[in-house]
Amino acid sequence: MSAVTSADGTRIGFETSGSGPAVILVDGAMTHRGFGPSGDLAAALSDAFTVYRYDRRGRGESGDTAPYEPRREVEDLAALLQAAGGSAALVGVSSGAVLAADAADALPGVTKLALYEPPFIVDGTHAPRPEAFLPEMEALVAAGDTGGAVKKFLRSVGMPGFAVTIMSVLPPFRKMRATAPTLPYDLRVLGDTGRGQPLDASRWARIKAPALVMDGGKSPQYMRNAAAALSAALPDARYRTLPGQTHIVKASVLAPAVKEFL
């Protein structure tokens, strides 16, 4: 493992694999190098690219510095871009797709963007995210109720109550609880994109990098609509559906699409 120091002094842990042009993987909620799908994706891409996997702040072997602001995570990616030689493509999944797009809007050196299913709610195909959701999540975290925070998050993304109950007694739940303090971070990265309203394209108006925005053919319609909306909002983007995939996309399907685009 290696590490970079972000602008606010936070240590960000990362590792590299493969050789070729640099690609930085940006994880979604509750995942990091030690828990989540990025390992399989890195392995599938490393025959053609130098793949950078990092722990977003507050997770895994990365540090954290209060108070949190989404721009701090953009600064983390700025430090990683420097470690990669000054330029890299970004591959973001779920909330990581939103963070990657925000970084491309703010930073030089992002060569391309490959984004999978940003979790927006842009129309009436899904109930809007309640305004109280973020403060309630922050209150659970502040009270030390990390299990309650994870359960609330899982229910919010559509997991049935009985499935949440079963999940809470399985071994992965412990790792989810460890990352629960960063759930409000992901919500802050998403901003006001859960209102059931069209996206504000001005948020990403300065992006110069070409982008590919993807969704899964078996994902909920609101997720697919969100991906299409982001594709339309970005200055230079194409939209692609990966047949048979859901929000939990398989690396064996995602990697070839990313390779072809990059």
Coordinates of all heavy atoms in Angstrom, one line a residue, residues 23-94:
V23 N -5.7 4.8 -14.5 CA -7.2 4.8 -14.2 C -7.4 4.7 -12.7 O -6.7 3.9 -12.0 CB -7.9 3.5 -14.8 CG1 -9.3 3.4 -14.4 CG2 -7.8 3.5 -16.3
I24 N -8.2 5.6 -12.2 CA -8.5 5.7 -10.7 C -9.9 5.2 -10.5 O -10.9 5.7 -11.2 CB -8.3 7.1 -10.2 CG1 -6.9 7.6 -10.4 CG2 -8.7 7.2 -8.7 CD1 -6.7 9.1 -10.0
L25 N -10.1 4.2 -9.7 CA -11.4 3.7 -9.3 C -12.0 4.5 -8.1 O -11.3 4.7 -7.1 CB -11.4 2.2 -9.0 CG -10.7 1.3 -10.1 CD1 -10.9 -0.1 -9.6 CD2 -11.3 1.5 -11.4
V26 N -13.3 4.9 -8.3 CA -13.9 5.7 -7.2 C -15.1 4.9 -6.7 O -16.1 4.8 -7.4 CB -14.3 7.1 -7.7 CG1 -14.8 8.0 -6.6 CG2 -13.2 7.8 -8.5
D27 N -15.0 4.5 -5.5 CA -16.1 3.6 -4.9 C -17.3 4.4 -4.5 O -17.3 5.6 -4.3 CB -15.5 2.9 -3.6 CG -14.7 1.7 -3.9 OD1 -15.1 0.9 -4.9 OD2 -13.8 1.4 -3.2
G28 N -18.4 3.6 -4.4 CA -19.7 4.1 -3.9 C -19.7 4.0 -2.4 O -18.7 3.8 -1.7
A29 N -21.0 4.1 -1.8 CA -21.2 4.1 -0.4 C -20.7 2.8 0.3 O -20.9 1.7 -0.3 CB -22.6 4.3 -0.1
M30 N -20.1 2.9 1.4 CA -19.8 1.8 2.3 C -18.8 0.8 1.7 O -18.6 -0.3 2.3 CB -21.1 1.0 2.8 CG -22.0 1.8 3.6 SD -23.2 0.8 4.5 CE -24.1 0.1 3.1
T31 N -18.1 1.1 0.7 CA -17.1 0.2 0.1 C -15.7 0.9 0.1 O -15.6 2.1 0.2 CB -17.5 -0.2 -1.3 OG1 -17.6 1.0 -2.1 CG2 -18.8 -0.9 -1.4
H32 N -14.7 0.0 0.1 CA -13.3 0.5 0.1 C -12.5 -0.7 -0.4 O -13.0 -1.7 -0.8 CB -12.9 1.0 1.5 CG -13.1 0.0 2.6 ND1 -12.1 -1.0 2.9 CD2 -14.1 -0.1 3.5 CE1 -12.6 -1.7 3.9 NE2 -13.8 -1.2 4.3
R33 N -11.2 -0.6 -0.4 CA -10.3 -1.6 -0.9 C -10.5 -3.0 -0.3 O -10.4 -4.0 -0.9 CB -8.9 -1.2 -0.9 CG -8.5 0.0 -1.8 CD -7.0 0.4 -1.7 NE -6.7 0.7 -0.4 CZ -5.7 0.1 0.3 NH1 -5.0 -0.9 -0.2 NH2 -5.4 0.4 1.6
G34 N -10.8 -2.9 1.0 CA -10.9 -4.2 1.7 C -12.3 -4.8 1.8 O -12.6 -5.8 2.3
F35 N -13.3 -4.0 1.2 CA -14.7 -4.5 1.3 C -15.5 -3.9 0.1 O -15.8 -2.7 0.1 CB -15.3 -4.1 2.6 CG -16.8 -4.5 2.7 CD1 -17.1 -5.8 2.8 CD2 -17.8 -3.5 2.9 CE1 -18.5 -6.2 2.9 CE2 -19.1 -3.9 3.0 CZ -19.4 -5.2 3.0
G36 N -15.7 -4.7 -0.9 CA -16.5 -4.2 -2.0 C -16.0 -4.7 -3.3 O -15.1 -5.6 -3.4
P37 N -16.5 -4.2 -4.4 CA -16.3 -4.8 -5.7 C -15.1 -4.3 -6.5 O -14.8 -4.8 -7.6 CB -17.6 -4.5 -6.5 CG -18.0 -3.2 -5.9 CD -17.6 -3.2 -4.5
S38 N -14.4 -3.3 -6.0 CA -13.4 -2.7 -6.8 C -12.2 -3.6 -7.0 O -11.4 -3.4 -8.0 CB -12.9 -1.4 -6.1 OG -12.2 -1.6 -4.9
G39 N -11.9 -4.6 -6.2 CA -10.8 -5.5 -6.4 C -11.0 -6.3 -7.7 O -10.1 -6.4 -8.5
D40 N -12.2 -6.8 -7.9 CA -12.5 -7.5 -9.1 C -12.4 -6.6 -10.4 O -11.9 -7.1 -11.4 CB -13.9 -8.2 -9.1 CG -14.0 -9.3 -8.1 OD1 -12.9 -9.9 -7.7 OD2 -15.1 -9.6 -7.6
L41 N -12.9 -5.4 -10.2 CA -12.8 -4.5 -11.4 C -11.3 -4.1 -11.7 O -10.9 -4.1 -12.8 CB -13.6 -3.2 -11.1 CG -13.7 -2.2 -12.2 CD1 -14.3 -2.8 -13.5 CD2 -14.5 -1.0 -11.8
A42 N -10.6 -3.9 -10.6 CA -9.1 -3.6 -10.8 C -8.4 -4.7 -11.5 O -7.6 -4.5 -12.5 CB -8.5 -3.3 -9.5
A43 N -8.7 -6.0 -11.1 CA -8.1 -7.1 -11.7 C -8.4 -7.3 -13.2 O -7.6 -7.6 -14.0 CB -8.5 -8.4 -11.0
A44 N -9.7 -6.9 -13.5 CA -10.2 -7.1 -14.9 C -9.6 -6.0 -15.8 O -9.6 -6.1 -17.0 CB -11.7 -7.0 -14.9
L45 N -9.2 -4.8 -15.2 CA -8.6 -3.7 -16.0 C -7.1 -3.7 -16.1 O -6.6 -3.0 -16.9 CB -9.2 -2.4 -15.4 CG -10.6 -2.1 -15.5 CD1 -11.0 -0.8 -14.8 CD2 -11.1 -2.0 -17.0
S46 N -6.5 -4.4 -15.1 CA -5.0 -4.2 -15.0 C -4.2 -4.8 -16.1 O -3.0 -4.6 -16.1 CB -4.6 -4.8 -13.6 OG -4.8 -6.2 -13.6
D47 N -4.8 -5.5 -17.0 CA -4.0 -6.0 -18.2 C -3.8 -4.9 -19.2 O -2.9 -5.1 -20.1 CB -4.7 -7.2 -18.8 CG -6.1 -6.9 -19.4 OD1 -6.7 -5.9 -18.9 OD2 -6.6 -7.6 -20.3
A48 N -4.5 -3.8 -19.1 CA -4.4 -2.7 -20.1 C -4.1 -1.4 -19.4 O -3.7 -0.4 -20.1 CB -5.7 -2.6 -20.9
F49 N -4.3 -1.3 -18.1 CA -4.1 0.0 -17.4 C -3.3 -0.1 -16.1 O -3.3 -1.2 -15.5 CB -5.5 0.6 -17.1 CG -6.4 0.8 -18.3 CD1 -7.3 -0.2 -18.6 CD2 -6.2 1.9 -19.1 CE1 -8.1 0.0 -19.8 CE2 -7.0 2.1 -20.3 CZ -8.0 1.1 -20.6
T50 N -2.8 1.0 -15.7 CA -2.3 1.0 -14.3 C -3.5 1.5 -13.5 O -3.9 2.6 -13.6 CB -1.1 2.0 -14.2 OG1 0.0 1.6 -15.0 CG2 -0.7 2.1 -12.7
V51 N -4.0 0.6 -12.6 CA -5.2 0.9 -11.9 C -4.9 1.3 -10.5 O -4.2 0.7 -9.7 CB -6.1 -0.4 -11.8 CG1 -7.4 -0.1 -11.1 CG2 -6.4 -0.9 -13.3
Y52 N -5.4 2.5 -10.1 CA -5.3 3.0 -8.8 C -6.6 2.8 -8.0 O -7.7 3.2 -8.4 CB -5.0 4.5 -8.8 CG -3.6 4.9 -9.3 CD1 -3.3 4.7 -10.6 CD2 -2.7 5.4 -8.4 CE1 -2.0 5.1 -11.1 CE2 -1.4 5.7 -8.9 CZ -1.1 5.6 -10.2 OH 0.2 5.9 -10.6
R53 N -6.5 2.0 -6.9 CA -7.6 1.8 -6.0 C -7.3 2.5 -4.7 O -6.2 2.3 -4.1 CB -7.8 0.3 -5.7 CG -8.2 -0.6 -6.8 CD -8.2 -2.0 -6.4 NE -9.2 -2.3 -5.4 CZ -9.1 -3.1 -4.4 NH1 -8.0 -3.8 -4.2 NH2 -10.1 -3.3 -3.5
Y54 N -8.2 3.3 -4.2 CA -7.9 4.0 -3.0 C -9.1 3.9 -2.0 O -10.2 3.6 -2.4 CB -7.6 5.5 -3.3 CG -8.8 6.4 -3.6 CD1 -9.3 7.3 -2.7 CD2 -9.5 6.4 -4.8 CE1 -10.4 8.1 -2.9 CE2 -10.5 7.2 -5.1 CZ -11.0 8.1 -4.2 OH -12.0 8.9 -4.4
D55 N -8.8 4.2 -0.8 CA -9.9 4.2 0.2 C -10.3 5.6 0.4 O -9.5 6.5 0.7 CB -9.3 3.7 1.6 CG -9.0 2.3 1.6 OD1 -9.6 1.5 0.9 OD2 -8.1 1.9 2.4
R56 N -11.6 5.9 0.1 CA -12.1 7.2 0.3 C -12.0 7.6 1.8 O -12.0 6.7 2.7 CB -13.6 7.3 -0.2 CG -13.7 7.3 -1.7 CD -15.1 7.3 -2.2 NE -15.9 8.4 -1.6 CZ -17.3 8.5 -1.8 NH1 -17.9 7.6 -2.4 NH2 -17.9 9.5 -1.2
R57 N -11.9 8.9 2.0 CA -11.6 9.3 3.4 C -12.6 8.8 4.4 O -13.8 8.7 4.1 CB -11.5 10.8 3.5 CG -12.7 11.6 3.1 CD -12.5 13.1 3.4 NE -11.2 13.6 2.9 CZ -10.5 14.6 3.4 NH1 -10.9 15.2 4.5 NH2 -9.4 15.0 2.9
G58 N -12.1 8.4 5.6 CA -12.9 7.8 6.6 C -13.1 6.3 6.5 O -13.8 5.7 7.3
R59 N -12.5 5.7 5.4 CA -12.7 4.3 5.2 C -11.4 3.6 5.1 O -10.4 4.2 4.7 CB -13.5 4.1 3.9 CG -14.7 4.9 3.7 CD -15.4 4.6 2.4 NE -16.4 5.6 2.0 CZ -17.2 5.5 1.0 NH1 -17.1 4.4 0.2 NH2 -18.1 6.4 0.7
G60 N -11.4 2.3 5.4 CA -10.2 1.5 5.2 C -9.0 2.0 5.9 O -9.0 2.3 7.1
E61 N -8.0 2.3 5.1 CA -6.7 2.8 5.7 C -6.5 4.2 5.4 O -5.3 4.7 5.5 CB -5.5 1.9 5.2 CG -5.7 0.5 5.6 CD -4.4 -0.4 5.3 OE1 -3.3 0.1 5.6 OE2 -4.6 -1.4 4.7
S62 N -7.5 4.9 5.0 CA -7.4 6.4 4.9 C -7.9 7.1 6.1 O -8.7 6.6 6.9 CB -8.3 6.9 3.7 OG -7.7 6.5 2.4
G63 N -7.3 8.3 6.3 CA -7.7 9.0 7.5 C -9.0 9.9 7.2 O -9.6 9.7 6.2
D64 N -9.2 10.8 8.2 CA -10.4 11.6 8.1 C -10.1 12.9 8.9 O -9.4 12.8 9.9 CB -11.7 10.9 8.6 CG -12.9 11.5 8.1 OD1 -12.9 12.5 7.3 OD2 -14.0 11.1 8.5
T65 N -10.6 14.0 8.4 CA -10.4 15.3 9.1 C -11.7 16.0 9.1 O -12.3 16.3 8.1 CB -9.3 16.1 8.4 OG1 -8.1 15.4 8.3 CG2 -9.1 17.4 9.1
A66 N -12.2 16.4 10.3 CA -13.4 17.2 10.4 C -13.1 18.7 10.2 O -12.0 19.1 10.5 CB -14.0 16.9 11.8
P67 N -14.1 19.5 9.8 CA -15.4 19.0 9.3 C -15.4 18.5 7.9 O -14.5 18.9 7.1 CB -16.2 20.3 9.4 CG -15.3 21.4 9.1 CD -14.0 20.9 9.7
Y68 N -16.3 17.7 7.6 CA -16.4 17.1 6.2 C -17.0 18.1 5.3 O -18.0 18.8 5.6 CB -17.2 15.8 6.2 CG -17.4 15.3 4.8 CD1 -16.4 14.5 4.2 CD2 -18.5 15.6 4.0 CE1 -16.5 14.1 2.9 CE2 -18.6 15.1 2.7 CZ -17.6 14.3 2.2 OH -17.7 13.9 0.9
E69 N -16.5 18.2 4.1 CA -17.1 18.9 2.9 C -16.8 18.1 1.7 O -15.7 17.5 1.5 CB -16.5 20.3 2.8 CG -16.9 21.2 3.9 CD -16.3 22.6 3.6 OE1 -16.1 23.0 2.4 OE2 -16.2 23.4 4.6
P70 N -17.7 18.0 0.7 CA -17.5 17.2 -0.5 C -16.2 17.7 -1.2 O -15.6 16.8 -1.8 CB -18.8 17.5 -1.3 CG -19.8 17.7 -0.3 CD -19.1 18.4 0.8
R71 N -15.9 18.9 -1.2 CA -14.7 19.4 -1.9 C -13.4 18.7 -1.4 O -12.4 18.7 -2.1 CB -14.6 20.9 -1.8 CG -14.3 21.5 -0.5 CD -14.2 23.0 -0.5 NE -14.0 23.6 0.8 CZ -13.8 24.9 1.0 NH1 -14.0 25.7 0.0 NH2 -13.6 25.3 2.2
R72 N -13.5 18.3 -0.1 CA -12.3 17.6 0.4 C -12.0 16.3 -0.3 O -10.9 15.9 -0.6 CB -12.5 17.3 1.9 CG -12.7 18.5 2.8 CD -11.5 19.4 2.7 NE -11.7 20.6 3.6 CZ -11.2 21.8 3.4 NH1 -10.5 22.0 2.3 NH2 -11.4 22.8 4.2
E73 N -13.1 15.6 -0.7 CA -12.9 14.4 -1.5 C -12.4 14.7 -2.9 O -11.7 13.9 -3.5 CB -14.2 13.6 -1.5 CG -14.6 13.0 -0.2 CD -15.3 11.7 -0.2 OE1 -14.6 10.7 -0.7 OE2 -16.5 11.6 0.1
V74 N -12.8 15.8 -3.5 CA -12.2 16.3 -4.7 C -10.7 16.5 -4.6 O -9.9 16.2 -5.4 CB -13.0 17.5 -5.3 CG1 -12.3 18.1 -6.5 CG2 -14.4 17.2 -5.6
E75 N -10.4 17.1 -3.4 CA -8.9 17.4 -3.2 C -8.2 16.0 -3.0 O -7.0 15.9 -3.4 CB -8.8 18.2 -1.9 CG -9.3 19.6 -2.1 CD -9.4 20.4 -0.8 OE1 -9.2 19.8 0.3 OE2 -9.6 21.7 -0.9
D76 N -8.9 15.0 -2.4 CA -8.2 13.7 -2.4 C -7.9 13.2 -3.7 O -6.8 12.6 -4.0 CB -9.1 12.7 -1.6 CG -9.5 13.1 -0.2 OD1 -8.8 14.0 0.3 OD2 -10.5 12.6 0.3
L77 N -8.8 13.3 -4.7 CA -8.6 12.9 -6.0 C -7.5 13.7 -6.7 O -6.8 13.2 -7.5 CB -9.9 12.9 -6.8 CG -10.8 11.7 -6.6 CD1 -12.2 11.9 -7.1 CD2 -10.2 10.5 -7.2
A78 N -7.4 15.0 -6.4 CA -6.3 15.8 -6.9 C -5.0 15.3 -6.5 O -4.0 15.2 -7.3 CB -6.5 17.3 -6.4
A79 N -4.9 14.8 -5.3 CA -3.6 14.2 -4.8 C -3.3 12.9 -5.5 O -2.2 12.6 -5.8 CB -3.7 14.0 -3.3
L80 N -4.3 12.1 -5.7 CA -4.2 10.9 -6.4 C -3.8 11.1 -7.9 O -2.9 10.4 -8.4 CB -5.4 10.0 -6.3 CG -5.7 9.4 -5.0 CD1 -7.1 9.0 -4.8 CD2 -4.8 8.2 -4.7
L81 N -4.3 12.1 -8.5 CA -4.0 12.5 -9.9 C -2.5 12.8 -10.0 O -1.8 12.4 -10.9 CB -4.8 13.6 -10.4 CG -6.2 13.3 -10.9 CD1 -7.0 14.5 -11.1 CD2 -6.2 12.5 -12.2
Q82 N -2.0 13.5 -9.0 CA -0.6 13.9 -9.0 C 0.3 12.6 -8.8 O 1.3 12.4 -9.4 CB -0.3 14.8 -7.8 CG -0.8 16.2 -8.1 CD -0.3 16.8 -9.4 OE1 0.9 16.9 -9.6 NE2 -1.2 17.3 -10.3
A83 N -0.2 11.7 -8.0 CA 0.5 10.4 -7.8 C 0.6 9.6 -9.1 O 1.5 8.8 -9.3 CB -0.1 9.6 -6.6
A84 N -0.5 9.8 -9.9 CA -0.6 9.1 -11.1 C 0.2 9.7 -12.3 O 0.1 9.3 -13.4 CB -2.0 8.9 -11.5
G85 N 0.9 10.8 -12.0 CA 1.7 11.5 -13.0 C 1.0 12.7 -13.5 O 1.5 13.3 -14.5
G86 N -0.1 13.1 -12.9 CA -0.8 14.4 -13.4 C -2.0 14.2 -14.2 O -2.8 15.1 -14.4
S87 N -2.3 12.9 -14.7 CA -3.5 12.7 -15.4 C -4.0 11.3 -15.3 O -3.1 10.4 -15.1 CB -3.3 13.0 -16.9 OG -2.3 12.2 -17.5
A88 N -5.3 11.1 -15.4 CA -5.8 9.7 -15.3 C -7.3 9.8 -15.7 O -7.9 10.8 -15.7 CB -5.7 9.2 -13.9
A89 N -7.8 8.6 -16.1 CA -9.2 8.4 -16.3 C -9.8 8.1 -14.9 O -9.2 7.5 -14.1 CB -9.5 7.4 -17.3
L90 N -11.1 8.5 -14.7 CA -11.8 8.1 -13.5 C -12.9 7.2 -13.8 O -13.7 7.4 -14.8 CB -12.4 9.4 -12.8 CG -11.4 10.5 -12.5 CD1 -12.1 11.6 -11.7 CD2 -10.2 10.0 -11.6
V91 N -13.0 6.1 -13.0 CA -14.1 5.2 -13.2 C -14.9 5.2 -11.9 O -14.4 4.8 -10.8 CB -13.6 3.7 -13.5 CG1 -14.8 2.8 -13.6 CG2 -12.8 3.7 -14.8
G92 N -16.1 5.7 -11.9 CA -16.9 5.8 -10.7 C -18.2 5.0 -10.7 O -18.8 4.9 -11.7
V93 N -18.5 4.4 -9.6 CA -19.7 3.6 -9.5 C -20.6 4.2 -8.4 O -20.1 4.5 -7.3 CB -19.4 2.1 -9.1 CG1 -20.6 1.3 -8.9 CG2 -18.5 1.5 -10.3
S94 N -21.9 4.3 -8.6 CA -22.9 4.8 -7.7 C -22.6 6.2 -7.3 O -22.3 7.1 -8.1 CB -23.1 3.8 -6.5 OG -24.2 4.1 -5.8

